Amino acid sequence: MSRGLLSNDREWHDSMAEASNSAMPSQLRDIFVTILGNSHPTQPLQLWNDFKMQMMEDFIHVHGLSELDAEQRTLQSIDNSLRRNYNKCITDFGIDLLQSNYTNDSDNINVETEHDLSQRLYNTLTADQTFIFDSIMNSVRQHGPLPSQDHPRIHYIDAAGGCGKTYLFNALISTCLAEERGVAACAWTGIASTLLRLGRTSHSLFKLPVPILNTSTCNVSANSRHASYLRSLSLILIDESS
């Protein structure tokens, strides 16, 4: 078999190769996490070695990191996503390359870089996207994570596929990060969540049971650390709310 891959790993190698032709590095990292978490490849370290350069391009070319630091940031991002979505860590898959001093900061957000990125994204929004963006961010900036009974705090965006909802969501996420506001994004499927910056499944974010029944409730106690985290968020984006 080419490159020594087992037949059941060929599918994941081909998926990563195809995605690397068009996906952004952050999306490629999320696809890698989804493969690790759901598909259990037999040679995850080889999959990492084959595609690590594509997965860390943004840390090199956008953030200006050295190749060594970019690799560590990429490993950290993957490890954080595995912990959030699958209660696993990267070492569970035989990828024991992450240095301990890179594991503390959950996403290592560079506010200055994030500000530049958010401005670039905002400047490329359409008129409709800009109207929605401004409406949501005005609410976030006015109230932050505090509850309000006097102003609407739920915004529902209804548009056909391909209209740029995900692009708008990522612009909102970047702006919140640039302003150092708490933000979370989720979707109902693991694949859909990979398209969102910091994306995770709705089940992971809200601790929902599987399957969800009419009597199901979130597994988050009011005094838990996760409840405090949810209350601290200024914006929660849920893709495909229906």
Side-chain angles (χ1 to χ4, degrees), residues 40-230:
H40 309 292
T42 58
Q43 298 184 20
L45 180 58
Q46 182 167 333
L47 198 62
W48 157 257
N49 286 329
D50 286 346
F51 295 100
K52 65 179 181 180
M53 292 304 300
Q54 293 93 323
M55 288 191 281
M56 65 188 197
E57 279 184 353
D58 54 341
F59 290 128
I60 294 175
H61 299 300
V62 177
H63 296 269
L65 300 182
S66 68
E67 187 171 316
L68 175 60
D69 285 340
E71 178 175 311
Q72 289 298 305
R73 287 282 293 275
T74 302
L75 287 164
Q76 178 196 14
S77 175
I78 292 169
D79 187 66
N80 290 335
S81 187
L82 284 168
R83 292 175 187 274
R84 285 196 305 264
N85 292 297
Y86 298 101
N87 292 320
K88 296 181 180 295
C89 61
I90 197 167
T91 56
D92 293 337
F93 301 92
I95 304 175
D96 193 12
L97 303 172
L98 181 60
Q99 298 175 13
S100 59
N101 60 318
Y102 280 85
T103 60
N104 295 325
D105 188 350
S106 64
D107 214 36
N108 276 338
I109 300 301
N110 184 303
V111 174
E112 183 177 348
T113 301
E114 206 65 53
H115 181 268
D116 293 340
L117 175 61
S118 65
Q119 282 297 115
R120 290 199 301 270
L121 291 172
Y122 182 80
N123 291 337
T124 57
L125 297 177
T126 66
D128 288 340
Q129 288 173 323
T130 300
F131 174 80
I132 297 170
F133 179 100
D134 289 342
S135 297
I136 294 174
M137 285 308 303
N138 285 341
S139 179
V140 167
R141 287 163 178 154
Q142 184 175 0
H143 301 291
L146 300 177
S148 173
Q149 297 179 350
D150 301 325
H151 301 277
R153 301 300 303 279
I154 298 176
H155 301 262
Y156 180 77
I157 303 172
D158 185 16
C163 289
K165 296 187 296 296
T166 300
Y167 192 87
L168 169 63
F169 291 167
N170 283 325
L172 287 164
I173 293 167
S174 182
T175 299
C176 285
L177 294 174
E179 297 181 4
E180 300 184 77
R181 301 180 187 275
V183 58
C186 65
W188 284 104
T189 67
I191 296 298
S193 70
T194 64
L195 301 177
L196 296 169
R197 177 92 180 274
L198 306 180
R200 57 200 297 186
T201 64
S202 302
H203 291 79
S204 171
L205 180 60
F206 297 110
K207 307 301 181 185
L208 300 173
V210 180
I212 297 177
L213 306 176
N214 291 334
T215 56
S216 296
T217 59
C218 296
N219 188 25
V220 181
S221 60
N223 296 322
S224 66
R225 291 180 60 187
H226 195 70
S228 297
Y229 162 72
L230 291 174

